[in-house]
Amino acid sequence: MTVLEKLLDGDLSALARIISYIENREENYKKLLAKLYPKSGRAIKIGFTGPPGAGKSTIVNEISKMLAAEGNKVGIIAVDPSSPFTGGALLGDRIRMHDMPSDGSVFIRSMATRGSTGGLAGATNNVTIALDAFGFDFVLIETVGVGQVELDIINTCDAVVVVLVPESGDSIQALKAGLMEIADIFAVNKADRPLSASIVAELNNVLDIKREKTGWKLPELPTEAVNNKNIDTLLQELKSFIEFSQETGLFEKHRREQIKKKIFSIINFDLAGIMESKIGGVENLDSLVNDIFNGKTDPFTASKKLLKLSDLD
Ligand SMILES: Nc1nc2c(ncn2[C@@H]2O[C@H](COP(=O)(O)OP(=O)(O)O)[C@@H](O)[C@H]2O)c(=O)[nH]1
Ligand SMILES: [Mg+2]
């Protein structure tokens, strides 16, 4: 049996090996993905994003236990761009997730960025394809909602939960960071803390415009993940959203858009790689930057020259 056959046969260690292979973009990883892709498409993918420390991992932990108890298989991808620097966040997650079912119904995978964000969103999406093909009913993706790369990761999902906390200041901050657009449900976690109710009310006001536009009720729920309070309601709302989305055609529309974005992202990633090798790596690029900086040429002419070099213009 090949590793791929083993994966499709439900072998978790084969899955882990293939994920590493894909994550590191080893030789022919795309051929492998092309074989996995037709087996994918069944899993419901849910993203959880928000500021560090908001309680995303705690929520994902509780939700996956509930889903597993219903007989679902759950794959979790924890993306933590800060991990190469602190190393602490993922360790904390692992400790917190020690009470997960040990029957293989919940599988957790961390994605480290090794100090670079290049291609992270694409790699996460590729890993999701492997989990989907493996047969997980749900794939939960946790990512810190701080930058564009993290928001790009959320593009992979069918539904997005934005997790906020009362003390993260004002909800407006999160809305400014683009979280409003991507949220299908808001969880205002740490409801045991002061100001929780006022944040919920504040959000409620701001969200009305989006509600009118989409027809979705866009709930904002107070949760207390650490004591498993209201997480059952959160899961219920998630299921309602998926249902709403499937009934209104939003689900399919969204997935079609994702395919389009995927094509462009593959091309962009490959193109960047080709460009880099064709121009002989960073050194040439530096001298080109130098020439532009010194006024000998300009970015527009330089890019055209590079495209010519790569036979791609
Ligand atoms: N007071 C309080 N603490 C919580 C709650 N939910 C999670 N925490 C704690 O907040 C900290 C950060 O949680 P974590 O899930 O790691 O946050 P993440 O960085 O968003 O994944 C941990 O110490 C949790 O135990 C809550 O509802 N109330
Ligand atoms: Mg976390």
mmCIF file of all heavy atoms in Angstrom, residues 27-63:
data_model
loop_
_atom_site.group_PDB
_atom_site.id
_atom_site.type_symbol
_atom_site.label_atom_id
_atom_site.label_comp_id
_atom_site.label_asym_id
_atom_site.label_seq_id
_atom_site.Cartn_x
_atom_site.Cartn_y
_atom_site.Cartn_z
ATOM 1 N N GLU A 27 8.790 17.724 -3.119
ATOM 2 C CA GLU A 27 8.689 17.443 -4.550
ATOM 3 C C GLU A 27 7.362 16.762 -4.904
ATOM 4 O O GLU A 27 6.940 15.825 -4.230
ATOM 5 C CB GLU A 27 9.860 16.537 -4.942
ATOM 6 C CG GLU A 27 10.301 16.726 -6.372
ATOM 7 C CD GLU A 27 11.300 15.641 -6.767
ATOM 8 O OE1 GLU A 27 11.998 15.125 -5.877
ATOM 9 O OE2 GLU A 27 11.342 15.343 -7.965
ATOM 10 N N ASN A 28 6.733 17.223 -5.952
ATOM 11 C CA ASN A 28 5.483 16.616 -6.434
ATOM 12 C C ASN A 28 4.320 16.697 -5.451
ATOM 13 O O ASN A 28 3.373 15.917 -5.536
ATOM 14 C CB ASN A 28 5.703 15.140 -6.810
ATOM 15 C CG ASN A 28 6.558 15.011 -8.050
ATOM 16 O OD1 ASN A 28 6.530 15.895 -8.917
ATOM 17 N ND2 ASN A 28 7.314 13.945 -8.147
ATOM 18 N N TYR A 29 4.400 17.628 -4.508
ATOM 19 C CA TYR A 29 3.302 17.725 -3.534
ATOM 20 C C TYR A 29 1.981 18.061 -4.235
ATOM 21 O O TYR A 29 0.917 17.681 -3.782
ATOM 22 C CB TYR A 29 3.622 18.753 -2.435
ATOM 23 C CG TYR A 29 3.455 20.206 -2.834
ATOM 24 C CD1 TYR A 29 2.293 20.904 -2.528
ATOM 25 C CD2 TYR A 29 4.455 20.870 -3.538
ATOM 26 C CE1 TYR A 29 2.127 22.233 -2.903
ATOM 27 C CE2 TYR A 29 4.303 22.198 -3.919
ATOM 28 C CZ TYR A 29 3.138 22.866 -3.595
ATOM 29 O OH TYR A 29 2.980 24.175 -3.974
ATOM 30 N N LYS A 30 2.097 18.741 -5.378
ATOM 31 C CA LYS A 30 0.855 19.127 -6.061
ATOM 32 C C LYS A 30 0.198 17.940 -6.762
ATOM 33 O O LYS A 30 -1.016 17.889 -6.886
ATOM 34 C CB LYS A 30 1.126 20.257 -7.063
ATOM 35 C CG LYS A 30 1.125 21.608 -6.349
ATOM 36 C CD LYS A 30 1.107 22.742 -7.314
ATOM 37 C CE LYS A 30 2.492 22.879 -7.873
ATOM 38 N NZ LYS A 30 2.593 24.008 -8.806
ATOM 39 N N LYS A 31 1.040 16.985 -7.202
ATOM 40 C CA LYS A 31 0.478 15.766 -7.807
ATOM 41 C C LYS A 31 -0.315 15.002 -6.751
ATOM 42 O O LYS A 31 -1.373 14.451 -7.021
ATOM 43 C CB LYS A 31 1.593 14.891 -8.364
ATOM 44 C CG LYS A 31 2.125 15.416 -9.675
ATOM 45 C CD LYS A 31 2.895 14.343 -10.441
ATOM 46 C CE LYS A 31 3.374 14.923 -11.752
ATOM 47 N NZ LYS A 31 4.810 14.688 -11.973
ATOM 48 N N LEU A 32 0.247 14.993 -5.546
ATOM 49 C CA LEU A 32 -0.425 14.327 -4.431
ATOM 50 C C LEU A 32 -1.757 15.019 -4.124
ATOM 51 O O LEU A 32 -2.799 14.367 -3.959
ATOM 52 C CB LEU A 32 0.509 14.384 -3.212
ATOM 53 C CG LEU A 32 0.079 13.652 -1.956
ATOM 54 C CD1 LEU A 32 -0.087 12.170 -2.229
ATOM 55 C CD2 LEU A 32 1.108 13.862 -0.861
ATOM 56 N N LEU A 33 -1.702 16.361 -4.091
ATOM 57 C CA LEU A 33 -2.930 17.118 -3.808
ATOM 58 C C LEU A 33 -3.983 16.900 -4.897
ATOM 59 O O LEU A 33 -5.175 16.840 -4.607
ATOM 60 C CB LEU A 33 -2.607 18.605 -3.670
ATOM 61 C CG LEU A 33 -2.048 19.011 -2.306
ATOM 62 C CD1 LEU A 33 -1.395 20.381 -2.366
ATOM 63 C CD2 LEU A 33 -3.151 18.986 -1.250
ATOM 64 N N ALA A 34 -3.506 16.764 -6.132
ATOM 65 C CA ALA A 34 -4.438 16.549 -7.240
ATOM 66 C C ALA A 34 -5.163 15.212 -7.075
ATOM 67 O O ALA A 34 -6.310 15.058 -7.502
ATOM 68 C CB ALA A 34 -3.690 16.592 -8.567
ATOM 69 N N LYS A 35 -4.475 14.249 -6.440
ATOM 70 C CA LYS A 35 -5.128 12.951 -6.184
ATOM 71 C C LYS A 35 -6.073 13.029 -4.994
ATOM 72 O O LYS A 35 -7.082 12.329 -4.937
ATOM 73 C CB LYS A 35 -4.064 11.875 -5.938
ATOM 74 C CG LYS A 35 -3.359 11.445 -7.197
ATOM 75 C CD LYS A 35 -2.386 10.316 -6.922
ATOM 76 C CE LYS A 35 -1.590 10.002 -8.168
ATOM 77 N NZ LYS A 35 -0.259 9.501 -7.835
ATOM 78 N N LEU A 36 -5.712 13.862 -4.019
ATOM 79 C CA LEU A 36 -6.550 13.984 -2.813
ATOM 80 C C LEU A 36 -7.812 14.807 -3.094
ATOM 81 O O LEU A 36 -8.876 14.535 -2.546
ATOM 82 C CB LEU A 36 -5.759 14.658 -1.681
ATOM 83 C CG LEU A 36 -4.670 13.820 -1.015
ATOM 84 C CD1 LEU A 36 -3.798 14.692 -0.124
ATOM 85 C CD2 LEU A 36 -5.292 12.689 -0.198
ATOM 86 N N TYR A 37 -7.648 15.802 -3.946
ATOM 87 C CA TYR A 37 -8.727 16.781 -4.151
ATOM 88 C C TYR A 37 -10.087 16.151 -4.505
ATOM 89 O O TYR A 37 -11.114 16.517 -3.921
ATOM 90 C CB TYR A 37 -8.314 17.821 -5.200
ATOM 91 C CG TYR A 37 -9.275 18.984 -5.250
ATOM 92 C CD1 TYR A 37 -9.123 20.069 -4.393
ATOM 93 C CD2 TYR A 37 -10.355 18.990 -6.136
ATOM 94 C CE1 TYR A 37 -10.024 21.118 -4.404
ATOM 95 C CE2 TYR A 37 -11.252 20.035 -6.151
ATOM 96 C CZ TYR A 37 -11.073 21.094 -5.297
ATOM 97 O OH TYR A 37 -11.971 22.128 -5.305
ATOM 98 N N PRO A 38 -10.123 15.190 -5.454
ATOM 99 C CA PRO A 38 -11.428 14.608 -5.811
ATOM 100 C C PRO A 38 -12.122 13.902 -4.653
ATOM 101 O O PRO A 38 -13.324 13.698 -4.688
ATOM 102 C CB PRO A 38 -11.074 13.596 -6.916
ATOM 103 C CG PRO A 38 -9.735 13.992 -7.405
ATOM 104 C CD PRO A 38 -9.029 14.647 -6.273
ATOM 105 N N LYS A 39 -11.339 13.514 -3.646
ATOM 106 C CA LYS A 39 -11.936 12.852 -2.474
ATOM 107 C C LYS A 39 -12.408 13.879 -1.444
ATOM 108 O O LYS A 39 -12.974 13.519 -0.411
ATOM 109 C CB LYS A 39 -10.903 11.933 -1.786
ATOM 110 C CG LYS A 39 -10.149 11.037 -2.732
ATOM 111 C CD LYS A 39 -10.882 9.723 -2.916
ATOM 112 C CE LYS A 39 -10.089 8.812 -3.838
ATOM 113 N NZ LYS A 39 -10.926 7.758 -4.392
ATOM 114 N N SER A 40 -12.110 15.143 -1.683
ATOM 115 C CA SER A 40 -12.447 16.167 -0.699
ATOM 116 C C SER A 40 -13.759 16.847 -1.089
ATOM 117 O O SER A 40 -14.333 16.574 -2.137
ATOM 118 C CB SER A 40 -11.331 17.205 -0.602
ATOM 119 O OG SER A 40 -11.340 18.041 -1.752
ATOM 120 N N GLY A 41 -14.241 17.722 -0.220
ATOM 121 C CA GLY A 41 -15.446 18.486 -0.531
ATOM 122 C C GLY A 41 -16.595 18.195 0.418
ATOM 123 O O GLY A 41 -17.574 18.922 0.471
ATOM 124 N N ARG A 42 -16.448 17.119 1.187
ATOM 125 C CA ARG A 42 -17.545 16.706 2.061
ATOM 126 C C ARG A 42 -17.500 17.393 3.428
ATOM 127 O O ARG A 42 -18.522 17.650 4.046
ATOM 128 C CB ARG A 42 -17.495 15.189 2.234
ATOM 129 C CG ARG A 42 -18.848 14.532 2.476
ATOM 130 C CD ARG A 42 -18.665 13.033 2.724
ATOM 131 N NE ARG A 42 -17.731 12.794 3.823
ATOM 132 C CZ ARG A 42 -18.091 12.814 5.109
ATOM 133 N NH1 ARG A 42 -19.332 13.026 5.452
ATOM 134 N NH2 ARG A 42 -17.184 12.595 6.047
ATOM 135 N N ALA A 43 -16.285 17.667 3.891
ATOM 136 C CA ALA A 43 -16.135 18.234 5.248
ATOM 137 C C ALA A 43 -16.682 19.659 5.330
ATOM 138 O O ALA A 43 -16.576 20.429 4.379
ATOM 139 C CB ALA A 43 -14.666 18.234 5.648
ATOM 140 N N ILE A 44 -17.289 19.981 6.473
ATOM 141 C CA ILE A 44 -17.682 21.356 6.756
ATOM 142 C C ILE A 44 -16.494 22.007 7.461
ATOM 143 O O ILE A 44 -15.983 21.481 8.449
ATOM 144 C CB ILE A 44 -18.927 21.389 7.673
ATOM 145 C CG1 ILE A 44 -20.121 20.729 6.992
ATOM 146 C CG2 ILE A 44 -19.243 22.821 8.104
ATOM 147 C CD1 ILE A 44 -20.696 21.493 5.820
ATOM 148 N N LYS A 45 -16.071 23.144 6.927
ATOM 149 C CA LYS A 45 -14.874 23.793 7.463
ATOM 150 C C LYS A 45 -15.265 25.068 8.210
ATOM 151 O O LYS A 45 -15.917 25.936 7.653
ATOM 152 C CB LYS A 45 -13.905 24.101 6.320
ATOM 153 C CG LYS A 45 -13.329 22.831 5.693
ATOM 154 C CD LYS A 45 -12.808 23.054 4.295
ATOM 155 C CE LYS A 45 -13.931 23.003 3.286
ATOM 156 N NZ LYS A 45 -13.501 23.219 1.914
ATOM 157 N N ILE A 46 -14.852 25.132 9.457
ATOM 158 C CA ILE A 46 -15.231 26.274 10.289
ATOM 159 C C ILE A 46 -13.982 26.968 10.820
ATOM 160 O O ILE A 46 -13.095 26.324 11.386
ATOM 161 C CB ILE A 46 -16.119 25.825 11.471
ATOM 162 C CG1 ILE A 46 -17.336 25.037 10.942
ATOM 163 C CG2 ILE A 46 -16.570 27.033 12.289
ATOM 164 C CD1 ILE A 46 -18.172 24.396 12.026
ATOM 165 N N GLY A 47 -13.913 28.267 10.613
ATOM 166 C CA GLY A 47 -12.770 29.055 11.076
ATOM 167 C C GLY A 47 -13.084 29.755 12.390
ATOM 168 O O GLY A 47 -14.215 30.185 12.622
ATOM 169 N N PHE A 48 -12.081 29.851 13.252
ATOM 170 C CA PHE A 48 -12.195 30.586 14.515
ATOM 171 C C PHE A 48 -11.057 31.586 14.548
ATOM 172 O O PHE A 48 -9.888 31.205 14.505
ATOM 173 C CB PHE A 48 -12.082 29.639 15.715
ATOM 174 C CG PHE A 48 -13.218 28.653 15.795
ATOM 175 C CD1 PHE A 48 -13.209 27.505 15.019
ATOM 176 C CD2 PHE A 48 -14.297 28.894 16.626
ATOM 177 C CE1 PHE A 48 -14.268 26.606 15.068
ATOM 178 C CE2 PHE A 48 -15.360 27.985 16.692
ATOM 179 C CZ PHE A 48 -15.343 26.841 15.916
ATOM 180 N N THR A 49 -11.409 32.860 14.601
ATOM 181 C CA THR A 49 -10.343 33.854 14.606
ATOM 182 C C THR A 49 -10.646 34.938 15.635
ATOM 183 O O THR A 49 -11.770 35.045 16.127
ATOM 184 C CB THR A 49 -10.132 34.433 13.186
ATOM 185 O OG1 THR A 49 -8.941 35.215 13.176
ATOM 186 C CG2 THR A 49 -11.297 35.286 12.725
ATOM 187 N N GLY A 50 -9.639 35.733 15.944
ATOM 188 C CA GLY A 50 -9.784 36.766 16.962
ATOM 189 C C GLY A 50 -8.439 37.014 17.619
ATOM 190 O O GLY A 50 -7.461 36.335 17.299
ATOM 191 N N PRO A 51 -8.389 37.993 18.523
ATOM 192 C CA PRO A 51 -7.098 38.349 19.119
ATOM 193 C C PRO A 51 -6.495 37.215 19.958
ATOM 194 O O PRO A 51 -7.237 36.344 20.422
ATOM 195 C CB PRO A 51 -7.430 39.553 20.010
ATOM 196 C CG PRO A 51 -8.915 39.647 20.076
ATOM 197 C CD PRO A 51 -9.490 38.848 18.961
ATOM 198 N N PRO A 52 -5.172 37.229 20.148
ATOM 199 C CA PRO A 52 -4.522 36.209 20.970
ATOM 200 C C PRO A 52 -5.097 36.233 22.391
ATOM 201 O O PRO A 52 -5.356 37.296 22.928
ATOM 202 C CB PRO A 52 -3.046 36.631 21.003
ATOM 203 C CG PRO A 52 -2.878 37.646 19.938
ATOM 204 C CD PRO A 52 -4.226 38.222 19.643
ATOM 205 N N GLY A 53 -5.324 35.071 22.946
ATOM 206 C CA GLY A 53 -5.798 34.993 24.324
ATOM 207 C C GLY A 53 -7.294 35.156 24.494
ATOM 208 O O GLY A 53 -7.813 35.130 25.604
ATOM 209 N N ALA A 54 -8.028 35.301 23.387
ATOM 210 C CA ALA A 54 -9.474 35.526 23.476
ATOM 211 C C ALA A 54 -10.223 34.265 23.927
ATOM 212 O O ALA A 54 -11.330 34.348 24.449
ATOM 213 C CB ALA A 54 -10.018 36.000 22.131
ATOM 214 N N GLY A 55 -9.587 33.112 23.704
ATOM 215 C CA GLY A 55 -10.237 31.854 24.100
ATOM 216 C C GLY A 55 -10.584 30.961 22.920
ATOM 217 O O GLY A 55 -11.391 30.040 23.042
ATOM 218 N N LYS A 56 -9.931 31.193 21.782
ATOM 219 C CA LYS A 56 -10.225 30.418 20.571
ATOM 220 C C LYS A 56 -9.955 28.923 20.793
ATOM 221 O O LYS A 56 -10.794 28.087 20.479
ATOM 222 C CB LYS A 56 -9.377 30.927 19.396
ATOM 223 C CG LYS A 56 -9.636 32.381 19.030
ATOM 224 C CD LYS A 56 -8.764 32.846 17.884
ATOM 225 C CE LYS A 56 -7.280 32.874 18.231
ATOM 226 N NZ LYS A 56 -6.936 33.857 19.286
ATOM 227 N N SER A 57 -8.775 28.620 21.339
ATOM 228 C CA SER A 57 -8.425 27.204 21.538
ATOM 229 C C SER A 57 -9.395 26.539 22.508
ATOM 230 O O SER A 57 -9.796 25.387 22.302
ATOM 231 C CB SER A 57 -7.001 27.064 22.083
ATOM 232 O OG SER A 57 -6.086 27.578 21.165
ATOM 233 N N THR A 58 -9.764 27.266 23.558
ATOM 234 C CA THR A 58 -10.691 26.704 24.546
ATOM 235 C C THR A 58 -12.034 26.415 23.882
ATOM 236 O O THR A 58 -12.631 25.361 24.111
ATOM 237 C CB THR A 58 -10.869 27.692 25.724
ATOM 238 O OG1 THR A 58 -9.590 28.221 26.078
ATOM 239 C CG2 THR A 58 -11.458 26.998 26.934
ATOM 240 N N ILE A 59 -12.490 27.322 23.046
ATOM 241 C CA ILE A 59 -13.765 27.131 22.344
ATOM 242 C C ILE A 59 -13.678 25.949 21.372
ATOM 243 O O ILE A 59 -14.552 25.079 21.350
ATOM 244 C CB ILE A 59 -14.180 28.428 21.599
ATOM 245 C CG1 ILE A 59 -14.600 29.499 22.616
ATOM 246 C CG2 ILE A 59 -15.305 28.153 20.597
ATOM 247 C CD1 ILE A 59 -14.958 30.847 22.006
ATOM 248 N N VAL A 60 -12.597 25.920 20.584
ATOM 249 C CA VAL A 60 -12.408 24.845 19.606
ATOM 250 C C VAL A 60 -12.368 23.494 20.319
ATOM 251 O O VAL A 60 -12.958 22.500 19.862
ATOM 252 C CB VAL A 60 -11.117 25.085 18.782
ATOM 253 C CG1 VAL A 60 -10.719 23.843 17.999
ATOM 254 C CG2 VAL A 60 -11.317 26.258 17.827
ATOM 255 N N ASN A 61 -11.701 23.477 21.452
ATOM 256 C CA ASN A 61 -11.616 22.277 22.286
ATOM 257 C C ASN A 61 -13.015 21.775 22.660
ATOM 258 O O ASN A 61 -13.372 20.610 22.422
ATOM 259 C CB ASN A 61 -10.806 22.652 23.536
ATOM 260 C CG ASN A 61 -10.546 21.465 24.443
ATOM 261 O OD1 ASN A 61 -10.839 20.335 24.086
ATOM 262 N ND2 ASN A 61 -10.009 21.731 25.617
ATOM 263 N N GLU A 62 -13.834 22.658 23.189
ATOM 264 C CA GLU A 62 -15.181 22.275 23.638
ATOM 265 C C GLU A 62 -16.062 21.858 22.461
ATOM 266 O O GLU A 62 -16.774 20.858 22.532
ATOM 267 C CB GLU A 62 -15.856 23.441 24.388
ATOM 268 C CG GLU A 62 -15.221 23.795 25.729
ATOM 269 C CD GLU A 62 -15.146 22.596 26.681
ATOM 270 O OE1 GLU A 62 -16.008 21.701 26.604
ATOM 271 O OE2 GLU A 62 -14.191 22.564 27.492
ATOM 272 N N ILE A 63 -15.994 22.643 21.388
ATOM 273 C CA ILE A 63 -16.837 22.338 20.221
ATOM 274 C C ILE A 63 -16.470 20.985 19.617
ATOM 275 O O ILE A 63 -17.330 20.201 19.241
ATOM 276 C CB ILE A 63 -16.722 23.462 19.163
ATOM 277 C CG1 ILE A 63 -17.390 24.715 19.717
ATOM 278 C CG2 ILE A 63 -17.281 23.033 17.804
ATOM 279 C CD1 ILE A 63 -18.183 25.532 18.764
#
